[in-house]
Amino acid sequence: MTVEQNVLQQSKAQKHQQTFLNQLREITGINDIQVLQQALKDSNGNLELAVTFLTTKNAKVPQQEEATYYQTALPGNDRYISVGSQADTNVIDLTGDDKDDLQRAIALSLEESNRAFRETGITDEEQAISRVLEASIAENKASLKRTHPEVWSDSPNPYDRKRQDSCPVGLKNVGNTCWFSAVIQSLFNLLEFRRLVLNYSPPASAQDLPRNQKEHRNLPFMRELRYLFALLVGSKRKYVDPSRAVEILKDAFKSNDSQQQDVSEFTHKLLDWLEDAFQIKAEEERDGEKPKNPMVELFYGRFLAVGVLEGKKFENTEMFGQYPLQVNGFKDLHECLEAAMIEGEIESLHSENSGKSGQEHWFTELPPVLTFELSRFEFNQALGRPEKIHNKLEFPPILYLDRYMHKNREITRIKRDEIKRLKEYLTVLQQRLERYLSYGSGPKRFPLVDVLQYALEFASSKPVCTSPIDDIDASAPPSGTVTTQTIPSTTEQQGPSSSEIPSTSPVQRSVIHKPFTQSRIPPDLPMHPAPRHITEEELSVLEGCLHRWRTEVENDTRDVQESISRIHRTIELMYSDKSMVQVPYRLHAVLVHEGQANAGHYWAYIYDHHQRRWMKYNDISVTKSTWEELERDSFGGYRNASAYCLMYINDKEQFLIQEEFNKETGQMLLGMDTLPPDLKDYVKEDNKRFEKELEEWDAELSQKVQQEKLLASQTPRMPAPSSAPVQAGEPEYLEQPSRTDLSKHLKEDSVRAITKALAEQEDGSPETVMQTAIKLEYARLLKLAQDDPPPECDYRLHHAVVYFMQNEAPKKIIERTLLEQFGDHNLSFDERCRNIMKVAQAKLEMIKPDEVNMEEYERWHQEYRNYRETTMYLMVGLELFQKKSYMEALLYLIYAYQNNKELLSKGLYRGHDEELISHYRRECLLKLNEHAAALFESGDDQEVNNGLIIMNELIVPCLPLLLVDETEEKDIAAVEDMRNRWCSYLGQEMEPNLQEKLTDFLPKLLDCSTEIKGFNDPPKLPSYSTHELCERYARIMLSLSRTPADGR
């Protein structure tokens, strides 16, 4: 056996031992590695016997705080070690009262676990991955079979799925696989990692090697990962489907359990699989030298653990991959690192004959890619379930790691001692400041400066010789005296009338202070309490003392605050000298988790090093982002989103992010040019399939147009006297389809204008009368456009020209619109109007194509039709909302909001009040969510299913609409309320079938990453004339003003 084989066997044995230790920890709830190893040793590797030792009452458990210091110094640790004080918190204490039941459960669990491991060689951790992957594929297949119509879905139009220029390609969520997308995109955007994967070729001797479980898993997975990376590079699709890569992982393991995968656990296993795959290749290509694994070179570093245990010094070097950090109790990343690098009494490390224990960690070799796991989940033993830590934790875009390097340990120790001394002094100053700011011995405390000021104000108040009670009594009328003051009435509270004012003298009328009915204090009562007896000399001495004391306290408080600020600044700058900024690491990716411990959604922020900007990778959606958005979503303490994993890269190692160059021409290689020949052919084939899909779509559209033309040619049409062609596809609410959308209401306006013009121009020609009529109509519409009507009266609905005027349409558009109004064939009912109509039609024919841009004219009229349609969606939606038909109202309000948003993007007066529509859309969702939750709480199977149908088919698809605009805080808060309502059920007792349905549903509620493509069939609108539309709109808006909405 070679040295390398021996090392490999030892590594496998250590991993198996670590697996047994993990099982013991999960079953018993004991975190002490030393105790677990001793139990395993005493039981000769028998897990059942080891658990018996640990769970008996006589089991001796050493002090936790001493044993944990020694963890990393013990042999046999896996390279994914728990660094620093990283105790596993996700454990359950099974040491209950019923020991027999406990032992039987443990025996069955261990027997099943051991049998599975012996048969397959797969650890429990790997089986957990299997369960997730299988659940993800099953969810994806189930979603394809759903027949329930959804509010919207991916558009069948392939042009909506076409990649725009060089925009990054997204990854489709194939069922609870947002964790997969977040990790893969983060790694793909490391150009060196991308090159390693793309240029990986399976070993030539792969067919001759023993086909063990790892090779069945690793090599096919590497093939599919290469294909996936190639599509991310050169696909013409907006997003690609990773199902085949996920299928490979699923097929490698068999399980039926379902849960959502943990990002850090998946990253651990992914890098492990990649390492194994590259190890096979490295061993094949070595020339007598120790093979170098590029995955190890890229992601693994080493640190030195130096410590003292009960007076005995130890020193041990450990390899690490992802570095775990505790979040709870720390405010920024450096505080987390400091806590992880120092444990116990570090003074004992530098002293002799000390019985104390402690250890320090020092990085000896940092990997080019350094990943920190932020431990945001902990197990609540009291509630028996995991909980997420939402505390805020800041981290910098550039992280300097000099203070943690072994070569800098002497200077770092000096600086740490200085910081410790400063913090101790800082504590004293803060306590002193607290005494100034919270003065007093009772439960209520006040700033001492204010206390002295209050005392000064009291002493300076005007002395009063009588007691407050005597003062009030003195103002009452004498016994037996009849006054003209009566019991106060409503009229008195508003003020007496002139007839009620008595004519008696002021002496006869006493002023009575009426509590609760008179807010003005009588002038003869003192405004503040005051000393009853104080001499001028006493007041002078007291004022002098209080003034002096107040000034002294103000100066002392200011001095303490300035000292605290100086110390904070000194601590912040402690590591800013040149020698401590030589190891910069730049933040490359942030993996974010939103939700609770049991369910949630993952996405990633990844830095584009060449464009120098942040990008947000949220499954199929890839958008530009900012550091401010990243801070809000990643730091925590805001909503339920926070960073779960941080990926930093060595800022001096440019090969990590450097593009490839052609060796012959020296030109940069981009896109397809970076792919090996086999992958280039693979991507070309996929792009051909997509292009064929585009061609088929174009052919289908062309065929539909031809069929419509053929159908139109076969349909007999009545000849129209108007020269203006009838536009196809007019909305149903138009009585006479013409270019001006003329209705009976507009015909009456035209006749009214013609009648006035004839009265003014009795002997005028038809042309003169028409010009006068148009001027009168224009003046009327201009007045409507300039008025400021109440919300229930929207003059834009009365006439298109009012809409055009308010939105500053070109004058030629308005003139032609009015000409078409007076040239419409509806005016041919009498001789006078017919003559005007003919003149207007002749004027229309005389307009040359270059005088009026007909495309622009059509756009304005189409926009007005869209405005009327949006109004009807809003009106019907609000009517249904008032009838409490929330399901029906929701779809109308969604269309109203989407169409209105598009209108408002072109101008402020082109749509309706966005806040109004947003409010009622939000209220619809909240009321439906409340109804669905009530159905779920009923526990009845049919009711529960109905509630989940409401959530899955109405609410979940609508949530992205509320989250798409992140400046709408009310919408975001509403989404959080809905999510929290359902997440609150996680800690409650319920039937197993309800728990299963809740577990299946929650990821869908928390995963709101599906890109909004458009809606399926919009709701049908009834036909309204202009008069009916204006009347119903006014009625619904008036009813809203009588019952104002919350928050408006």
Side-chain angles (χ1 to χ4, degrees), residues 140-153:
N140 187 39
K141 291 180 178 178
S143 65
L144 297 177
K145 298 179 182 178
R146 289 182 186 135
T147 57
H148 298 297
E150 296 188 354
V151 180
W152 64 78
S153 61

Side-chain angles (χ1 to χ4, degrees), residues 328-364:
N328 218 359
F330 305 112
K331 69 176 183 179
D332 59 42
L333 188 60
H334 276 300
E335 285 192 1
C336 295
L337 276 166
E338 287 284 349
M341 304 297 275
I342 307 174
E343 300 176 29
E345 299 290 337
I346 61 172
E347 290 87 351
S348 63
L349 301 178
H350 322 301
S351 61
E352 299 293 337
N353 303 322
S354 173
K356 295 182 180 180
S357 300
Q359 69 172 282
E360 293 176 335
H361 294 169
W362 299 99
F363 290 129
T364 57

Side-chain angles (χ1 to χ4, degrees), residues 304-500:
L304 181 69
V306 182
V308 174
L309 179 63
E310 297 179 354
K312 296 180 180 179
K313 291 187 178 182
F314 65 87
E315 189 171 300
N316 193 28
T317 300
E318 296 288 344
M319 179 181 284
F320 69 93
Q322 293 177 272
Y323 204 86
L325 295 174
Q326 287 286 355
V327 170
N328 218 359
F330 305 112
K331 69 176 183 179
D332 59 42
L333 188 60
H334 276 300
E335 285 192 1
C336 295
L337 276 166
E338 287 284 349
M341 304 297 275
I342 307 174
E343 300 176 29
E345 299 290 337
I346 61 172
E347 290 87 351
S348 63
L349 301 178
H350 322 301
S351 61
E352 299 293 337
N353 303 322
S354 173
K356 295 182 180 180
S357 300
Q359 69 172 282
E360 293 176 335
H361 294 169
W362 299 99
F363 290 129
T364 57
E365 182 182 344
L366 286 172
V369 181
L370 178 59
T371 305
F372 294 113
E373 296 176 15
L374 303 182
S375 179
R376 284 196 173 271
F377 293 154
E378 63 181 3
F379 198 88
N380 189 318
Q381 294 284 3
L383 297 177
R385 60 183 171 88
E387 291 183 337
K388 185 177 178 183
I389 302 170
H390 295 291
N391 297 358
K392 183 177 181 180
L393 183 80
E394 299 179 0
F395 47 84
I398 299 291
L399 180 68
Y400 293 99
L401 295 170
D402 304 76
R403 70 184 80 173
Y404 312 110
M405 301 302 296
H406 181 256
K407 63 181 180 181
N408 295 327
R409 63 177 177 178
E410 295 303 328
I411 188 172
T412 299
R413 282 171 177 165
I414 294 172
K415 290 180 178 292
R416 283 176 178 169
D417 290 340
E418 177 64 14
I419 289 175
K420 183 180 179 181
R421 186 188 64 79
L422 289 173
K423 286 185 174 180
E424 290 173 352
Y425 183 47
L426 185 63
T427 302
V428 174
L429 290 177
Q430 288 171 336
Q431 291 173 349
R432 185 179 301 172
L433 180 64
E434 183 66 17
R435 294 191 186 100
Y436 282 112
L437 299 181
S438 299
Y439 186 81
S441 57
K444 291 186 177 181
R445 304 192 176 197
F446 304 92
L448 181 54
V449 171
D450 293 345
V451 172
L452 294 172
Q453 178 64 28
Y454 299 153
L456 181 60
E457 290 174 359
F458 173 78
S460 303
S461 299
K462 183 180 178 181
V464 178
C465 294
T466 59
S467 70
I469 299 176
D470 294 338
D471 187 42
I472 295 176
D473 290 340
S475 65
S479 176
T481 304
V482 178
T483 67
T484 59
Q485 183 71 35
T486 61
I487 297 173
S489 64
T490 305
T491 306
E492 288 179 3
Q493 293 177 34
Q494 296 173 352
S497 63
S498 58
S499 61
E500 294 172 331

Side-chain angles (χ1 to χ4, degrees), residues 476-527:
S479 176
T481 304
V482 178
T483 67
T484 59
Q485 183 71 35
T486 61
I487 297 173
S489 64
T490 305
T491 306
E492 288 179 3
Q493 293 177 34
Q494 296 173 352
S497 63
S498 58
S499 61
E500 294 172 331
I501 298 176
S503 57
T504 54
S505 66
V507 178
Q508 294 174 302
R509 180 180 177 87
S510 302
V511 179
I512 299 178
H513 176 49
K514 303 184 290 297
F516 311 116
T517 62
Q518 180 175 314
S519 59
R520 184 172 58 85
I521 300 175
D524 55 344
L525 286 181
M527 293 296 294

Side-chain angles (χ1 to χ4, degrees), residues 738-752:
S738 72
R739 194 177 299 278
T740 58
D741 299 340
L742 185 64
S743 67
K744 182 180 178 181
H745 184 72
L746 289 184
K747 186 177 79 171
E748 293 173 355
D749 291 341
S750 302
V751 172
R752 192 181 301 111

